[in-house]
Amino acid sequence: MRQSIASNRMSTAHGGSMNPQAASAAAMAKLIEKKKEFDAVSALERASALYLERIQGLADDCDIMANAGEIHGQVLSQWPKMFQILNLFLTSQINTEEEATTELGSTEGQKLVRIPIDELQAASATSKQKSES
């Protein structure tokens, strides 16, 4: 709704008490006032747009954190199953070791190691020849 500008016009029928310079100054003051209002509304619109962008960024971050929390919950729900599997594995390892020790009997603690004597002798012979030269 716009106000009527008819009341602001000088009436020529009544002899017009305002001179043209005063009317021009009043119109200029009103124009400056309206320009300030327009600039304030424009600044408010820009600030609102920036605020909206920030809020949308926060919403995106919240969505990411919600998804991460959901994945974290899924991983945590798998831990009991993992411990159950590890327990079964350890139990089977213990049973396998017990079976192996009963089969081996007195050979417990013995370990066979192969030593490459031929290679060691060849290496020592070449090192002696180098030191004599």
Side-chain angles (χ1 to χ4, degrees):
M1 296 223 198
R2 293 176 48 185
Q3 290 182 343
S4 173
I5 57 170
S7 63
N8 292 334
R9 291 186 190 158
M10 286 190 347
S11 174
T12 55
H14 296 289
S17 61
M18 290 181 84
N19 64 15
Q21 291 176 345
S24 175
M28 193 62 144
K30 192 164 194 158
L31 177 67
I32 290 171
E33 182 183 329
K34 292 296 180 181
K35 186 175 180 339
K36 285 181 183 177
E37 287 179 18
F38 178 76
D39 291 342
V41 169
S42 295
L44 180 62
E45 187 177 354
R46 285 190 304 271
S48 297
L50 289 173
Y51 185 69
L52 177 65
E53 286 179 26
R54 288 180 182 173
I55 294 297
Q56 286 175 340
L58 287 172
D60 292 342
D61 290 345
C62 288
D63 289 341
I64 290 169
M65 288 191 296
N67 292 340
E70 186 177 331
I71 298 299
H72 186 72
Q74 290 174 357
V75 169
L76 287 177
S77 70
Q78 297 297 319
W79 278 104
K81 294 176 186 175
M82 188 64 170
F83 286 127
Q84 183 181 16
I85 291 169
L86 287 173
N87 190 20
L88 288 172
F89 175 74
L90 291 175
T91 305
S92 69
Q93 288 292 327
I94 290 171
N95 290 341
T96 305
E97 288 176 7
E98 288 175 358
E99 290 174 4
T101 55
T102 55
E103 289 176 6
L104 292 177
S106 63
T107 60
E108 186 176 336
Q110 294 181 358
K111 191 170 189 178
L112 298 176
V113 178
R114 176 170 285 192
I115 301 174
I117 296 176
D118 296 333
E119 293 175 11
L120 290 174
Q121 288 175 347
S124 64
T126 56
S127 64
K128 284 182 183 178
Q129 288 175 359
K130 287 182 182 178
S131 63
E132 291 176 1
S133 307

